[in-house]
Amino acid sequence: MSQLTHKVWMDRALAEAKLALAHDDVPVGAVVVQGGRVVAQAHNRREVEADPTAHAEILALRAAAQALGSWRLDGCSLYVTLEPCTMCAGAVVLARLPELVYGAVDPKAGAAGSLFDLVREPRLNHRVQVVTGVLAEECGAVLRTFFQSRRPQPAGCRGGAAGTAATLPATRGGVA
């Protein structure tokens, strides 16, 4: 797919990520696309569901499998605002997704190229094509703002942006 197409779907994932803010969850959004149409979308719901597995990717993959009537998500692409963790990367492999597209890199928990590379592990029975850095600045900014709002600020300090646009100091765990 073209970079422009990737940006369109990542914009959709970003909009989904912002919905997590309403219930004070880490703003990560995911969209599953097949044949130019959205099959499923979700955002993190760990806090509202009190479920450690309620990551945006897991919820979107479950909804896509149900919508398509198959656990094999052949021909689908997953767009997610943050590099998947090991649980989510494992689910991407198990769903046989051919393509994963993500925005911000997660150097502390990422399992699609930074800390680990589970999705391209040659010993597994499926490997995923990965596209990184799509709207990384925008994806990273939403996450940085969320985490900065939770850090105590010293008196007189306005706080600066932590990390870089495409890299975050901490992500899903809520600790920076």
Side-chain angles (χ1 to χ4, degrees):
M1 282 193 200
S2 73
Q3 195 65 7
L4 180 59
T5 303
H6 288 321
K7 287 180 181 180
V8 167
W9 296 124
M10 190 61 73
D11 267 333
R12 184 88 173 248
L14 264 169
E16 188 68 30
K18 292 173 185 174
L19 296 176
L21 296 170
H23 45 85
D24 204 33
D25 216 322
V26 178
V28 176
V31 176
V32 178
V33 176
Q34 183 185 55
R37 71 177 182 89
V38 173
V39 176
Q41 59 191 41
H43 57 274
N44 274 2
R45 295 185 54 84
R46 291 180 314 163
E47 298 299 330
V48 73
E49 293 184 15
D51 179 355
T53 68
H55 288 199
E57 301 95 320
I58 298 296
L59 299 173
L61 293 175
R62 285 178 185 158
Q66 185 158 5
L68 296 172
S70 175
W71 61 269
R72 289 179 180 268
L73 299 180
D74 297 324
C76 292
S77 297
L78 175 65
Y79 289 82
V80 63
T81 57
L82 178 64
E83 179 182 1
C85 67
T86 53
M87 175 182 69
C88 295
V92 166
V93 171
L94 293 173
R96 308 298 195 269
L97 276 166
E99 183 180 49
L100 166 67
V101 182
Y102 68 84
V105 171
D106 186 350
K108 288 191 174 182
S114 52
L115 185 59
F116 302 107
D117 198 358
L118 191 61
V119 296
R120 292 178 283 209
E121 172 56 52
R123 293 171 292 181
L124 295 178
N125 62 345
H126 179 74
R127 277 163 293 294
V128 181
Q129 178 182 340
V130 179
V131 178
T132 65
V134 176
L135 298 182
E137 174 63 35
E138 294 88 338
C139 294
V142 170
L143 288 156
R144 279 191 308 280
T145 299
F146 174 81
F147 286 114
Q148 286 172 352
S149 72
R150 276 137 189 84
R151 288 190 196 112
Q153 295 292 321
C157 178
R158 294 181 184 251
T164 65
T167 305
L168 301 170
T171 54
R172 297 180 198 274
V175 179

